[in-house]
């Protein structure tokens, strides 16, 4: 989680978000001019399941800041 000060673990990518949380979060960050890194959780099932456990939440989309 050290790629960028703000990391968005999202479904899809910033140009093609695949859920409402991801779409809204990208819109807010871009609208405020915030630089952020991102990771498509659909690209790695192990990371996706790990995020669910880490956040104790059934959905995998998440954001993290340093």
């Amino acid at each position: 989680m050290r790629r960028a000060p703000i990391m968005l673990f999202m479904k899809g990518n910033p140009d093609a978000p695949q859920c409402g949380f991801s779409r809204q979060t990208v819109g807010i960050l871009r609208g405020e001019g915030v630089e952020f890194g991102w990771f498509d959780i659909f690209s790695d099932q192990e990371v996706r399941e790990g995020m669910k456990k880490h956040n104790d939440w059934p959905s995998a989309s998440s954001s993290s800041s340093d």
Side-chain angles (χ1 to χ4, degrees):
M1 287 201 276
R2 300 256 182 233
R3 289 187 191 179
I6 296 177
M7 282 297 296
L8 178 60
F9 291 84
M10 62 183 295
K11 295 174 182 174
N13 65 65
D15 294 325
Q18 295 183 15
C19 76
F21 172 85
S22 296
R23 184 173 28 265
Q24 287 186 315
T25 305
V26 167
I28 290 167
L29 292 171
R30 284 183 169 171
E32 295 297 321
V34 175
E35 290 186 35
F36 64 97
W38 61 275
F39 182 86
D40 180 359
I41 59 171
F42 286 145
S43 71
D44 189 320
Q45 185 65 25
E46 188 175 333
V47 171
R48 185 177 181 180
E49 292 304 315
M51 290 301 296
K52 289 179 185 181
K53 289 178 185 173
H54 175 76
N55 294 327
D56 193 25
W57 195 255
S59 178
S61 296
S62 179
S63 60
S64 176
S65 62
D66 188 17

